[in-house]
Amino acid sequence: MDVEIVGRMLSTLPEDDDHPYRTGPWRPQTVERNVDDVEVVAGEVPTDLDGIYLRNTENPLHPALKAYHPFDGDGMIHLIGFRDGKAFYRNRFVKTDGLAAEVEAGRSLWAGISEMPDWSLREDGWGARRQLKDASSTDVVVHRGYALTSFYQCGDLYKLDPYTADTLGKETWKGKFPFDWGVSAHPKVDEHTGELLFFNYSKDAPYMKYGVVDENNDLVHYIDVPLPGPRLPHDMAFTENYAIMNDFPLFWDAELLKEGVHKPTFHRDIPSRFGVIPRRGTTADIKWFEASPTYVLHFVNAYEDGDEIVLDGFYQHDPEPKDVGGNRWERAFRFLALDNIKSRLHRWRLNLVTGQATEESLTDTITEFGMMNGSYTGRDYRYAYAATGKPNWFLFNGLTRHDMKTGAEEHFDFGDGVYGSETAMAPRVGSTSEDDGYLVTFTSDMNADESYCLVFDAARLGDGPVCKLRLPERISSGTHSTWVDGSELRRWHTEDSAASAIGL
């Protein structure tokens, strides 16, 4: 495996760093690499696997001002592309304005998630707090053939070449990007219409807005979604005809917020609410539904079933865990561990005629970070592929295949000391059914000090990987990923430019 080093960043992190989310499985990278023919160490790369898997990663270069949170790290995209039974790999920092400023300064300049906003050394930050660095290290989606990375709260969308992972600048939507509010962590792409749907939020009224960008990259719809006060939404869902926003009772304590303290508090006596909006509807068209109090970090899908909208997501049975035991780090980051928040797949049915919501738990298995076949997003579907978590830690130790129709589950455990990524579903070329394809993920093997890409048959997860490829360095754990079909990329990129980008 020939590895080309194309870039290197200077880190000022201490050699004796003891922060568990900057060391071990979360050890950041400083080197950017190209590999044009990734080494296959087991099995064979399927010849009908065609496309690119991209994963975003929190990758800090400098110590925090006082208290580091794993969502503060600078964005780094790792990608692996497949075609004709071969694979290529790239990793690049997301070249944000914040990264450039801190590289020049040689230190952190903005407060992080766990710090007081007025600790920032600069006042041109992002997010609902407006004093955070836009690290663009949370999610990655592909719209119109280009990757877009996003920030944990709200910020810019950075545009990347999906073949090289090189940053091409900020997405502007032809000058109509909402630079005053930014875009939330999880914009959604409808593969059927080519639209990108998004929301954003702020500490200023109306507290939330919703928008649509069409396949021509025009911001064609943007409306207010009034809320009772500042909220902390993280994700959204959509169907063929509707978008679904949320107002969960986990938000900043109002009295502390007046003093500049941003302390998320779970208000157990306030119901959850879902706002259903026609995809091009007005503020007056929003219908609100009440449900049991919880917090949902991520939804899997939504679809229409007669008069009802079916909404599936990961219901937290304990959004504010307290007595979890463990060491000081486990206690400090207890709300990141899946077993502590007790996240389980849950279904809500929102009746558009009666205005009533019903709900049910779909499983006793604790999972999160669910993925599915993207061509079924917003439509009736059957399968979700989600991560299981290491107890007391924000680390993925296995995969679960959820059958949403029968309740059947299939599991795969990575093994002791091996941690995975959010796992994308890649339909095989010419696929004929929802689970006719592959699952693609990255793992960090702490025993071998290696990272691998694993490819599974999506219909037979329990059989284990059909192939295993070695990455050039053990990579950091991270958050979100996506898959884009090669045919979709070639709609927007010529064969010659794509081949040149990956050295073919």
Side-chain angles (χ1 to χ4, degrees):
M1 179 170 61
D2 293 328
V3 181
E4 176 190 8
I5 295 178
V6 296
R8 191 185 302 270
M9 291 285 196
L10 177 65
S11 172
T12 62
L13 293 173
E15 292 186 5
D16 59 348
D17 197 353
D18 67 346
H19 197 296
Y21 289 100
R22 290 193 306 236
T23 57
W26 285 82
R27 182 189 68 190
Q29 282 71 57
T30 58
V31 178
E32 299 171 318
R33 294 177 167 88
N34 290 347
V35 180
D36 290 335
D37 194 359
V38 180
E39 178 187 1
V40 181
V41 297
E44 296 181 350
V45 176
T47 57
D48 55 0
L49 179 59
D50 178 14
I52 296 178
Y53 171 76
L54 303 102
R55 198 202 72 177
N56 209 341
T57 309
E58 291 82 7
N59 206 81
L61 287 173
H62 308 293
L65 297 177
K66 292 186 180 180
Y68 179 71
H69 188 286
F71 296 166
D72 296 338
D74 299 291
M76 176 180 277
I77 291 292
H78 298 264
L79 67 81
I80 189 165
F82 301 93
R83 194 175 186 189
D84 299 329
K86 295 184 178 181
F88 65 92
Y89 168 85
R90 303 284 186 268
N91 71 301
R92 299 287 190 277
F93 278 96
V94 182
K95 304 302 195 301
T96 65
D97 291 348
L99 175 65
E102 292 189 337
V103 166
E104 181 178 1
R107 61 167 302 175
S108 292
L109 297 174
W110 285 272
I113 298 292
S114 298
E115 298 176 318
M116 294 288 288
D118 59 7
W119 294 351
S120 289
L121 304 180
R122 291 179 54 156
E123 297 181 352
D124 54 347
W126 255 117
R129 288 160 54 173
R130 304 300 298 177
Q131 287 174 285
L132 297 170
K133 178 180 66 174
D134 180 353
S136 206
S137 59
T138 302
D139 201 4
V140 55
V141 299
V142 175
H143 184 228
R144 303 178 71 255
Y146 290 92
L148 301 173
T149 59
S150 55
F151 175 55
Y152 172 70
Q153 289 195 1
C154 294
D156 293 312
L157 295 179
Y158 280 84
K159 186 175 180 179
L160 280 66
D161 185 310
Y163 289 99
T164 66
D166 292 331
T167 304
L168 304 176
K170 298 177 185 178
E171 178 58 81
T172 69
W173 296 333
K174 302 177 183 178
K176 297 296 181 64
F177 187 89
F179 291 105
D180 53 341
W181 281 47
V183 168
S184 70
H186 292 300
K188 301 292 184 180
V189 176
D190 186 340
E191 293 186 10
H192 295 269
T193 66
E195 293 175 320
L196 180 145
L197 288 71
F198 72 94
F199 69 97
N200 50 27
Y201 58 102
S202 169
K203 290 190 293 187
D204 301 319
Y207 306 113
M208 181 187 284
K209 297 183 180 183
Y210 156 73
V212 180
V213 178
D214 68 11
E215 193 179 42
N216 296 319
N217 217 34
D218 291 312
L219 178 61
V220 294
H221 194 66
Y222 191 48
I223 66 166
D224 293 347
V225 182
L227 298 177
R231 295 295 188 262
L232 292 170
H234 187 68
D235 200 4
M236 63 171 287
F238 68 88
T239 70
E240 290 186 64
N241 297 293
Y242 298 94
I244 302 100
M245 304 294 120
N246 58 78
D247 173 11
F248 290 121
L250 178 69
F251 51 85
W252 290 312
D253 181 284
E255 293 304 312
L256 291 175
L257 194 59
K258 295 175 184 177
E259 302 173 12
V261 177
H262 296 73
K263 181 182 183 298
T265 300
F266 184 51
H267 303 267
R268 300 177 185 274
D269 57 341
I270 298 177
S272 300
R273 297 198 308 151
F274 298 102
V276 177
I277 312 170
R279 283 173 54 158
R280 300 290 180 94
T282 68
T283 300
D285 293 325
I286 303 172
K287 292 184 178 180
W288 287 100
F289 296 81
E290 292 190 354
S292 63
T294 187
Y295 188 78
V296 176
L297 196 63
H298 301 116
F299 296 99
V300 178
N301 196 24
Y303 60 92
E304 296 160 32
D305 182 17
D307 294 333
E308 293 184 325
I309 287 177
V310 179
L311 175 64
D312 294 340
F314 294 96
Y315 184 107
Q316 295 183 10
H317 291 259
D318 189 2
E320 199 173 39
K322 298 186 184 301
D323 300 322
V324 300
N327 62 37
R328 67 184 181 100
W329 296 115
E330 292 171 310
R331 295 192 298 274
F333 294 103
R334 61 192 180 277
F335 45 84
L336 297 180
L338 304 188
D339 62 314
N340 290 335
I341 59 176
K342 299 179 175 59
S343 62
R344 299 185 179 97
L345 267 176
H346 200 81
R347 173 165 288 174
W348 296 264
R349 285 184 171 270
L350 313 176
N351 192 302
L352 297 172
V353 175
T354 67
Q356 297 301 305
T358 58
E359 57 186 302
E360 61 176 325
S361 181
L362 299 180
T363 179
D364 291 329
T365 303
I366 292 176
T367 57
E368 237 283 8
F369 289 79
M371 301 286 276
M372 56 174 291
N373 185 326
S375 62
Y376 285 77
T377 306
R379 278 72 178 166
D380 192 3
Y381 75 118
R382 182 167 180 174
Y383 301 106
Y385 309 92
T388 57
K390 179 180 178 178
N392 261 357
W393 291 99
F394 184 31
L395 290 166
F396 303 152
N397 61 7
L399 297 174
T400 297
R401 178 182 189 255
H402 295 280
D403 187 326
M404 310 298 285
K405 301 298 185 185
T406 69
E409 296 175 348
E410 191 172 6
H411 305 279
F412 181 84
D413 192 305
F414 293 131
D416 291 342
V418 182
Y419 306 106
S421 305
E422 186 177 57
T423 300
M425 195 282 176
R428 75 174 76 238
V429 176
S431 65
T432 57
S433 62
E434 183 182 344
D435 65 343
D436 186 16
Y438 302 96
L439 303 178
V440 184
T441 196
F442 288 145
T443 61
S444 292
D445 186 334
M446 303 303 296
N447 309 301
D449 193 26
E450 299 270 11
S451 274
Y452 301 95
C453 174
L454 304 184
V455 179
F456 299 81
D457 185 323
R460 288 178 286 276
L461 172 63
D463 291 350
V466 299
C467 70
K468 180 177 182 179
L469 303 95
R470 190 191 315 275
L471 303 186
E473 181 183 11
R474 194 188 87 214
I475 66 176
S476 171
S477 189
T479 49
H480 293 285
S481 69
T482 194
W483 171 264
V484 57
D485 283 336
S487 59
E488 172 64 14
L489 287 175
R490 291 188 287 275
R491 284 184 59 207
W492 302 96
H493 303 268
T494 66
E495 289 278 1
D496 289 343
S497 66
S500 174
I502 62 176
L504 299 179

